[in-house]
Amino acid sequence: MANLRSSFLSCFLIPRGDTLLQLILLLSLLLHHLSASSDDSHFEGFDEIDDEPILFQSPLSDLPLRSPPPPTTLSTSSDQPPSVSDLPPKPSAKTSSFDYWDEDEFEGFPTEITPPEVTKQSEQTTTPPESASTEPDETSKVSEPTSLTKRIRSYTVEIACVSFLIMFAINYFTGKKENETLALAWAATFATKDTIFDKNFSLLGVVEGDNSPLLLKEGQNVFKFYASGRRFCQELLATMELKSRQDLIAKLYNMIVPCKDEITFEVPMNEDAMDHVVFALAKKKAAKAMHKEVRDLQRFANLMTSGPNGRKWVADELTVITESKEVAGDLINETVLDQVFGEKAFGNFGKWFISMHFSDQHQGTHKKMLVFKFALPDVNHMADMTRLVALVPYYIDLIGRYKLSSQARSKTEAARSKVAQEVYKELQNERQEALQRKKAERRKMMEEAQSKLNAEALRKKEAKERARQLKKAMPKIKMSRGA
Amino acid sequence: MSSSGNDPRQPSTAKPYKPQPVHPDNLPIDYSGFIAIIFGVAGVMFRYKLGSWLALIFCAQSLANMKNIETDLKQISTAFMFAVMGMVTNYLSPARGVKT
């Protein structure tokens, strides 16, 4: 720049006779100025090189390697808008300004570079339709025949997800229908007129009325059946939890991890209808799990490894959990063994049986409860589980009438009184803790009140003291008595 | 099965059905709704198209398994909003092109 100024000034100082020379100097200065402004940003280290800007060769061949995206991205904003408008003239504009390096050196380069340039420019100036139209132009320049497949490929995510959603919707309606037919088939077999529950309970169904629906639909795969009005028990609530056929993802999951349609009967017994019975029957693995998890079984009962001597007992796959062996023996009587749980019968009906749990120390709202869990057969074979369903009223009657023998009762009484004492102690502890907390709170309140009072008293004292000090500070007017 | 001769029914003791009120804290966890929210947030924040689509799919699953209309609808609608936001961000935003 110093050179510029000095040469500029010098052309004014030169006498007028050399106007040609001055013109030439001026032109060279102008050219130099222009080239300096355009090449400034590209060749920042090259200010000293001035006279022939266009004919540079060797030093510049290093440059593009250092900063690969061609200078349009590095250049100032003044340069870019003119080169943005059209793509075809653009490469030519590039070549005109960058003649000085060998294009052969960068054969693969321009095609890789142009798409990011295009997107960057579209970010700055154009709207998406333009970029989308320029993009296919570019890709069509590269390879025309695969544009359609490429477009399809670029939408794979959308196509896959939309088709999955369509399948999901179709499956929802078919699965829902299937579940409903299954539930209705069960109700038709066991809950309609002249069926087992109709003969055992006076009130069937959830809503009052003659033609009221029998089943309550809680979800697309959960149905409830309610019955009431029988001796020994308060009510019967049957909950059918079917496979989630309406949910495609759950359906696919159930193909890997098998699942069953289940029905659970819960029968709370009347207060005077059940003696001290804690008993459960299930298949081996399930029995072990129940013994660990269910609280009353854990506390009161033990696994029964073998049946009473000299008697037939349940099938090998089943395990009994009971508080007292005598009670177990009484509950699993001949009839039941012959019909359902014995070796032969279990082979036929065993696949529908899951578990059975009777307890008078049940956790939850009702203490005296019978719980039966069965698997549901498919729609056409609903009658296969008739014997299992018949167990329900049979056991209601059996337990309703059952009285423990004196020995058994003494044992059970001892266990229960222990537990009752523990529960009582826990309650007492809780009450004491609650009382202590209350006392502590009261103390805190009192202390705060006292401190407040103290604070007020302190303030008063301080005020008094200040008043006294003021009085003292005031000059004492000595009064002398008159003589 | 032996049954007593007399009718076991006792109409006098019949009680009408009382649905057990379930405390909202004890409700079973809606896993699919939870996953839908996670994917929806991922789709919106990271501009991940697949995230938004998966959020929509899990939202649909949560809807299919919905048991109680009042309580479950809040979570499902939250998840659905995230999924729709993700869709809008990914497809209708003017700043970026469609190509992944």
Side-chain angles (χ1 to χ4, degrees):
Chain A
M1 286 308 284
N3 290 337
L4 264 175
R5 274 199 174 175
S6 55
S7 49
F8 198 69
L9 285 172
S10 66
C11 79
F12 278 102
L13 294 171
I14 292 169
R16 276 201 168 192
D18 300 338
T19 46
L20 255 178
L21 207 68
Q22 290 171 35
L23 275 171
I24 293 169
L25 273 171
L26 259 174
L27 271 171
S28 68
L29 279 169
L30 278 169
L31 277 169
H32 169 55
H33 192 67
L34 272 172
S35 62
S37 69
S38 66
D39 298 340
D40 233 4
S41 48
H42 316 314
F43 317 118
E44 285 186 332
F46 291 92
D47 268 340
E48 293 79 48
I49 306 165
D50 37 17
D51 287 326
E52 277 131 353
I54 299 173
L55 299 172
F56 280 58
Q57 285 188 25
S58 47
L60 289 181
S61 61
D62 295 331
L63 248 187
L65 290 170
R66 263 183 258 150
S67 53
T72 49
T73 58
L74 290 175
S75 65
T76 57
S77 53
S78 57
D79 264 344
Q80 258 197 331
S83 54
V84 167
S85 51
D86 286 307
L87 279 170
K90 207 183 152 284
S92 59
K94 266 192 358 186
T95 50
S96 63
S97 42
F98 304 113
D99 272 346
Y100 37 78
W101 73 49
D102 214 346
E103 289 231 67
D104 292 331
E105 284 191 55
F106 310 102
E107 271 185 298
F109 234 59
T111 53
E112 292 170 31
I113 292 162
T114 44
E117 277 183 18
V118 170
T119 52
K120 282 190 184 173
Q121 286 148 22
S122 63
E123 271 179 350
Q124 288 178 18
T125 56
T126 62
T127 57
E130 250 195 68
S131 72
S133 63
T134 50
E135 259 190 316
D137 280 339
E138 287 294 295
T139 53
S140 65
K141 273 189 187 175
V142 174
S143 49
E144 266 197 33
T146 60
S147 61
L148 188 64
T149 49
K150 266 206 174 181
R151 264 191 233 171
I152 291 175
R153 262 185 228 164
S154 70
Y155 287 115
T156 34
V157 175
E158 286 83 352
I159 291 172
C161 289
V162 169
S163 53
F164 188 84
L165 277 171
I166 291 172
M167 284 200 298
F168 193 93
I170 294 172
N171 181 78
Y172 174 78
F173 291 109
T174 50
K176 183 176 124 161
K177 247 294 157 92
E178 241 184 280
N179 277 347
E180 279 171 11
T181 41
L182 189 62
L184 287 171
W186 183 89
T189 318
F190 297 112
T192 47
K193 267 216 153 184
D194 289 338
T195 54
I196 184 163
F197 285 129
D198 189 43
K199 290 181 193 164
N200 274 291
F201 291 90
S202 64
L203 172 71
L204 296 173
V206 172
V207 182
E208 300 271 346
D210 274 333
N211 284 325
S212 64
L214 284 169
L215 295 174
L216 172 69
K217 186 175 175 181
E218 271 204 346
Q220 302 304 332
N221 61 329
V222 179
F223 297 89
K224 288 204 169 159
F225 169 69
Y226 177 80
S228 181
R230 195 189 193 280
R231 62 182 176 217
F232 302 134
C233 65
Q234 294 175 19
E235 64 195 25
L236 175 135
L237 184 64
T239 310
M240 279 186 268
E241 275 165 29
L242 306 173
K243 294 191 224 181
S244 294
R245 291 184 181 85
Q246 81 280 4
D247 176 2
L248 187 60
I249 299 170
K251 207 175 185 180
L252 295 168
Y253 179 71
N254 285 336
M255 289 185 189
I256 309 168
V257 177
C259 181
K260 283 185 194 172
D261 297 317
E262 286 181 3
I263 185 166
T264 309
F265 292 94
E266 286 171 335
V267 185
M269 299 292 280
N270 292 335
E271 280 304 317
D272 54 351
M274 191 163 173
D275 210 344
H276 297 163
V277 174
V278 177
F279 173 87
L281 175 66
K283 294 187 182 170
K284 284 196 173 160
K285 272 192 189 175
K288 284 185 191 172
M290 277 173 86
H291 186 57
K292 277 186 193 175
E293 287 162 25
V294 181
R295 222 168 161 206
D296 53 338
L297 291 177
Q298 209 180 37
R299 267 191 196 163
F300 296 104
N302 304 303
L303 288 159
M304 196 163 146
T305 44
S306 58
N309 295 330
R311 271 184 60 179
K312 31 180 194 174
W313 194 233
V314 293
D316 284 334
E317 300 148 25
L318 296 170
T319 310
V320 174
I321 309 171
T322 179
E323 188 180 14
S324 139
K325 287 196 179 180
E326 197 188 312
V327 171
D330 287 335
L331 287 176
I332 308 285
N333 55 24
E334 290 272 346
T335 336
V336 168
L337 282 170
D338 283 333
Q339 293 278 325
V340 186
F341 295 126
E343 289 285 349
K344 281 187 207 171
F346 199 70
N348 293 329
F349 305 102
K351 52 183 170 172
W352 310 122
F353 177 77
I354 298 175
S355 74
M356 210 160 75
H357 176 206
F358 311 143
S359 174
D360 71 322
Q361 300 287 323
H362 197 84
Q363 255 189 315
T365 42
H366 298 116
K367 281 233 142 177
K368 304 199 172 187
M369 189 90 114
L370 313 180
V371 180
F372 299 84
K373 235 187 199 177
F374 305 133
L376 282 172
D378 64 320
V379 186
N380 303 320
H381 300 111
M382 204 46 86
D384 287 354
M385 65 180 306
T386 322
R387 288 202 189 180
L388 287 170
V389 175
L391 277 177
V392 178
Y394 180 77
Y395 269 115
I396 297 175
D397 277 336
L398 186 65
I399 289 186
R401 295 194 179 116
Y402 184 66
K403 298 287 170 207
L404 280 144
S405 70
S406 48
Q407 294 170 345
R409 174 161 295 172
S410 53
K411 285 184 200 171
T412 55
E413 284 278 356
R416 271 145 231 261
S417 54
K418 257 196 198 177
V419 172
Q421 276 183 8
E422 280 171 28
V423 169
Y424 185 66
K425 274 186 194 173
E426 278 183 33
L427 271 172
Q428 282 222 330
N429 284 337
E430 277 183 28
R431 273 185 218 168
Q432 279 186 7
E433 278 176 25
L435 276 170
Q436 281 181 5
R437 269 181 235 159
K438 278 186 187 174
K439 278 189 187 173
E441 279 180 26
R442 276 183 210 168
R443 274 182 214 165
K444 276 187 192 175
M445 296 273 284
M446 296 286 283
E447 279 173 20
E448 278 177 26
Q450 277 183 14
S451 62
K452 277 186 190 172
L453 283 170
N454 286 342
E456 280 184 23
L458 276 169
R459 276 181 223 158
K460 283 181 187 172
K461 283 183 192 172
E462 280 175 21
K464 280 184 188 174
E465 279 189 29
R466 275 182 215 159
R468 277 186 214 158
Q469 282 184 9
L470 274 172
K471 271 193 182 176
K472 281 187 189 174
M474 275 177 55
K476 281 193 180 171
I477 302 168
K478 280 191 178 173
M479 288 197 294
S480 56
R481 289 187 187 168
Chain B
M1 291 288 198
S2 64
S3 53
S4 48
N6 51 352
D7 193 5
R9 292 181 275 188
Q10 278 181 348
S12 53
T13 57
K15 295 189 306 184
Y17 176 62
K18 252 194 198 174
Q20 290 262 355
V22 181
H23 200 258
D25 294 341
N26 295 344
L27 278 172
I29 308 170
D30 183 14
Y31 289 110
S32 45
F34 185 62
I35 294 175
I37 290 179
I38 290 179
F39 274 117
V41 170
V44 171
M45 285 197 346
F46 305 123
R47 287 219 163 170
Y48 191 41
K49 259 200 303 185
L50 190 62
S52 305
W53 280 109
L54 283 171
L56 203 63
I57 288 174
F58 280 108
C59 225
Q61 187 192 17
S62 183
L63 258 176
N65 289 331
M66 187 170 67
K67 286 197 184 143
N68 200 1
I69 292 188
E70 303 96 33
T71 50
D72 291 348
L73 207 59
K74 287 180 206 166
Q75 189 171 14
I76 294 172
S77 51
T78 318
F80 188 69
M81 273 193 329
F82 271 117
V84 168
M85 255 177 22
M87 293 291 173
V88 167
T89 324
N90 281 319
Y91 288 106
L92 297 179
S93 65
R96 271 205 197 175
V98 177
K99 207 171 185 185
T100 43

